[in-house]
Amino acid sequence: MKSLYDPHPKTKINGYPDALIDGWDAIRATLQPQGPTLVFDTYPGVYDEKVKTELKQIPHDVWIDAIDMFKAKETIREQLRYHITDDRIFGRMYYGEIDNFIVPEKRAALQARAKEAAEAGQRVIVYGYGASLIATGTLVYLDMARWEITLRYRNGMANFQEDNFDEDALRKIKRGFFTEWRVADKHKRSLFDSIDYFLDTNDMDHVKMVAGEAVRAGLAQMAHRPFRLVPYFDPGVWGGQWMKDVCNLDPDKENYAWSFDGVPEENSIYLDFGNGYIELPAMDLVLYEPKPLLGASVYSRFGAEFPIRFDFLDTIGGQNLSLQVHPLTEYIHRTFGMAYTQDESYYILDAKDGATVYLGLKEGVDKEQMIADLYAANRGEILFDAEKYINKFPAKKHDHFLIPAGTCHCSGADAMVLEISATPYCFTFKLWDWARVGLDGLPRPVHIDHGKQNIQWDRTTKWVEDNLVNAVYTVREDEHVKEEHTGLHELEYIETRRLWIEDEALVENEDNVNMLNLIEGQMARIESVDGSFEPFEVHYAETFIVPASVKNYKIVNPTDSTIGVIRAYVRKPQA
């Protein structure tokens, strides 16, 4: 049966049927009558020179580049040295402001120039990251998805105010993740209510623009009904073949290793206005509508951050993942400036015979010998004997392996993993990578120095079997639905419930954002109990989000066979 998985989901926005302004000619025609000052503020990663070539065709008397108010690249580099670090992957979270990178005297001079020109009746255009700090006028915000920025880094784009075009892409992504994107999101959030137009420059061959009023209305609608994010898929040295068929991807690609299908910090959203759609970062929704999206209790605990992540790891026809461990909360906070850590689990969506998961330590492991062997293996002196130290469990479809931080783990070959985890995205300490190099030809980063400080040496075979492997019990069961608790461990803040649905099931979300995936069956329908949103159809393996504002909802099975849904939400603190 052909898969119905939609790799390009769009969210229909009501009330703005002709909102999309498509192409540079239409954009210029819309903006030209505005004025006398046009302000184009940008997210770092926009192809500035290409955009400026198009915008400079709008008649103007004075053009001001916001980049001229920033500190020199050498000064910024030194200022961020502590946060960027020398590591390829890990930096330290930067919590500063855009003002920290601006020379006040330079900004004041640009402000004076813009004001003087406007008062003289001249047409002024201010362009670039932070342009809104120089002048007021019609404000256009050039937004971008992080995945597109990542691809641009790989293709040679430099970081903001840098000339590191040829630098290792992982280092450029690290700088974006730990510094640039944090500051840019904070700046963008301060502008949301005053943006007159959002300009989508993800595809330079097809730029689009939508009025700010329509975008804000669209985000508000999304925060009150089920929706999907736009997933992305990427190859890897260990990647498999399962997602090609199920997710309707390019069959000519060598493999697809992993996919983010449920990571608002990384994914984008398509807002469909009827005459076309605009692509925006999904974080725009989190930043602009955090309370209705997350719920009061989750928002009070995490702020405007989405604390649950679903992603795919495909090793069917591929190889083992790296043997790894995630940092403890205290360690990630002290070392990297993160508030919480990457607890996770592996839900086995599918598996071939012989599939396995490595999880926890064997009884009686010699700690010093294991660490010595890991160092020796990564120096190329030996091959690390993983099965001497790590439990290896058979994995079959619908098994659930829980992985609280500090637990050694990895998926073996021939498993399709739905990874359900906390959101921190890059904090994987690889211990052993089976003597491989990455697709870039470079040795994949290994972090034994970090890892050995986080391995919980008491998580051995019996404890793992009792606590982390298929810790399933029934919560409710009747002729309509069987609901099971499948995890996560009590050390983790995420609760997961699996629902086997014959016809329909009522879900009470308790003012708590829900992230779900259809793990069995061709399709399901999400329906409102009060008529507040139209029925929402999902298909096998699709991840979807139900905002906290929805309160209660029904999952309806329109097929003749039982369907299965995995549901994740944030546990409320114990009284």
Side-chain angles (χ1 to χ4, degrees):
M1 185 178 296
K2 179 175 171 54
S3 171
L4 298 177
Y5 184 98
D6 182 2
H8 306 289
K10 302 176 183 65
T11 300
K12 185 176 179 355
I13 304 305
N14 299 318
Y16 297 86
D18 301 312
L20 193 80
I21 302 163
D22 200 341
W24 282 119
D25 289 341
I27 290 169
R28 285 190 291 262
T30 300
L31 296 177
Q32 186 165 322
Q34 310 283 339
T37 301
L38 294 176
V39 180
F40 295 90
D41 208 321
T42 70
Y43 202 85
V46 171
Y47 282 139
D48 289 324
E49 295 310 313
K50 292 182 179 180
V51 172
K52 287 195 291 186
T53 297
E54 300 293 343
L55 294 180
K56 283 184 177 180
Q57 297 179 42
I58 299 173
H60 61 280
D61 303 299
V62 175
W63 179 280
I64 296 174
D65 278 308
I67 193 69
D68 291 339
M69 69 179 172
F70 282 89
K71 297 175 182 177
K73 63 177 180 291
E74 295 82 6
T75 303
I76 293 177
R77 195 181 299 156
E78 184 61 32
Q79 184 175 328
L80 291 176
R81 183 177 299 278
Y82 172 80
H83 298 276
I84 294 175
T85 76
D86 293 327
D87 192 274
R88 286 182 74 196
I89 302 293
F90 301 122
R92 298 183 181 93
M93 202 60 67
Y94 184 79
Y95 291 105
E97 312 277 346
I98 189 173
D99 280 348
N100 301 144
F101 304 99
I102 290 172
V103 179
E105 295 79 9
K106 291 183 177 180
R107 177 170 62 183
L110 296 181
Q111 289 171 331
R113 184 181 172 204
K115 181 180 180 182
E116 180 182 357
E119 289 176 346
Q122 294 181 302
R123 183 67 179 273
V124 180
I125 295 179
V126 185
Y127 178 88
Y129 180 38
S132 57
L133 303 175
I134 295 171
T136 57
T138 300
L139 176 57
V140 183
Y141 192 84
L142 282 65
D143 215 348
M144 286 202 67
R146 283 193 192 168
W147 179 235
E148 175 60 26
I149 297 173
T150 296
L151 294 177
R152 292 182 183 187
Y153 285 152
R154 292 180 185 176
N155 289 329
M157 185 181 75
N159 287 99
F160 175 74
Q161 194 65 331
E162 260 295 356
D163 57 6
N164 59 339
F165 303 99
D166 297 326
E167 189 175 30
D168 175 7
L170 291 179
R171 293 183 182 274
K172 292 191 279 189
I173 294 166
K174 175 191 67 174
R175 180 162 172 162
F177 178 83
F178 284 96
T179 63
E180 291 173 13
W181 300 341
R182 306 296 153 182
V183 176
D185 281 350
K186 194 178 296 185
H187 174 60
K188 176 169 59 175
R189 190 180 187 188
S190 73
L191 302 177
F192 250 107
D193 284 325
S194 56
I195 294 172
D196 294 296
Y197 295 95
F198 283 82
L199 186 59
D200 171 6
T201 62
N202 287 282
D203 181 355
M204 286 303 300
D205 293 326
H206 193 185
V207 295
K208 311 168 203 174
M209 190 171 74
V210 173
E213 176 189 5
V215 169
R216 288 185 288 271
L219 296 177
Q221 289 179 30
M222 288 188 73
H224 290 83
R225 66 188 198 217
F227 62 90
R228 287 189 63 215
L229 306 178
V230 180
Y232 64 78
F233 304 85
D234 211 26
V237 64
W238 44 264
Q241 305 297 312
W242 189 91
M243 287 192 291
K244 283 187 186 180
D245 292 332
V246 174
C247 301
N248 293 313
L249 305 178
D250 184 351
D252 294 329
K253 294 289 187 181
E254 182 177 350
N255 71 57
Y256 288 97
W258 51 277
S259 166
F260 280 7
D261 185 359
V263 190
E265 191 166 283
E266 305 300 322
N267 289 129
S268 60
I269 49 178
Y270 289 160
L271 302 186
D272 186 350
F273 292 96
N275 67 331
Y277 68 91
I278 189 172
E279 181 177 10
L280 297 174
M283 272 304 292
D284 284 2
L285 175 61
V286 182
L287 294 171
Y288 188 66
E289 294 283 353
K291 289 183 180 179
L293 174 65
L294 303 174
S297 63
V298 175
Y299 178 66
S300 68
R301 185 172 175 182
F302 294 96
E305 292 191 21
F306 200 97
I308 305 171
R309 183 181 89 177
F310 279 20
D311 59 89
F312 292 154
L313 307 171
D314 181 359
T315 68
I316 290 183
Q319 307 172 23
N320 295 346
L321 298 181
S322 60
L323 182 65
Q324 56 194 244
V325 67
H326 297 301
L328 304 173
T329 298
E330 187 276 335
Y331 190 87
I332 199 172
H333 181 68
R334 169 168 52 87
T335 310
F336 304 111
M338 295 290 292
Y340 57 99
T341 193
Q342 192 170 324
D343 292 310
E344 65 184 30
S345 69
Y346 287 169
Y347 191 91
I348 308 301
L349 267 182
D350 205 350
K352 294 178 70 174
D353 291 343
T356 58
V357 166
Y358 292 80
L359 185 64
L361 303 167
K362 290 191 171 180
E363 305 290 354
V365 162
D366 183 327
K367 170 182 175 180
E368 302 302 327
Q369 186 61 55
M370 176 175 159
I371 296 300
D373 283 358
L374 284 169
Y375 278 120
N378 285 288
R379 289 193 300 267
E381 298 167 5
I382 63 171
L383 292 177
F384 182 72
D385 185 359
E387 294 182 37
K388 176 181 177 181
Y389 298 104
I390 310 297
N391 299 308
K392 188 176 180 182
F393 295 97
K396 64 183 185 303
K397 187 172 183 176
H398 296 309
D399 282 345
H400 200 177
F401 299 89
L402 314 182
I403 313 172
T407 308
C408 294
H409 66 281
C410 78
S411 171
D414 286 333
M416 180 61 208
V417 173
L418 168 61
E419 188 174 57
I420 301 172
S421 76
T423 300
Y425 129 88
C426 65
F427 295 97
T428 296
F429 301 146
K430 294 185 180 71
L431 303 172
W432 169 239
D433 199 37
W434 316 96
R436 295 181 296 214
V437 296
L439 295 180
D440 56 6
L442 299 173
R444 302 221 305 155
V446 174
H447 291 90
I448 301 173
D449 289 346
H450 285 305
K452 69 183 182 182
Q453 298 181 68
N454 289 276
I455 295 172
Q456 299 301 284
W457 297 97
D458 58 348
R459 293 184 188 165
T460 53
T461 307
K462 187 175 188 316
W463 188 89
V464 170
E465 290 174 339
D466 291 345
N467 289 273
L468 304 185
V469 180
N470 289 325
V472 178
Y473 60 81
T474 300
V475 176
R476 60 168 166 155
E477 185 172 10
D478 56 33
E479 68 272 23
H480 305 290
V481 59
K482 180 179 181 180
E483 180 177 358
E484 301 167 314
H485 160 94
T486 70
L488 276 54
H489 189 264
E490 63 182 12
L491 295 175
E492 306 176 76
Y493 65 76
I494 296 172
E495 174 77 6
T496 55
R497 299 288 180 88
R498 181 170 59 198
L499 294 93
W500 300 110
I501 302 170
E502 299 301 326
D503 47 20
E504 64 178 47
L506 177 68
V507 178
E508 300 177 358
N509 72 9
E510 301 180 70
D511 190 34
N512 194 316
V513 65
N514 287 195
M515 182 169 275
L516 309 95
N517 187 283
L518 185 63
I519 57 173
E520 187 71 39
Q522 186 78 343
M523 68 177 66
R525 233 181 13 253
I526 314 306
E527 296 186 358
S528 171
V529 297
D530 61 6
S532 60
F533 62 83
E534 297 177 358
F536 181 77
E537 186 173 285
V538 296
H539 309 111
Y540 177 61
E542 291 181 347
T543 293
F544 58 102
I545 295 170
V546 180
S549 62
V550 168
K551 305 302 182 187
N552 302 332
Y553 58 95
K554 291 190 296 184
I555 304 176
V556 177
N557 177 5
T559 74
D560 296 329
S561 303
T562 304
I563 62 171
V565 174
I566 192 84
R567 168 182 171 241
Y569 58 96
V570 176
R571 294 190 186 112
K572 291 190 176 180
Q574 296 295 317

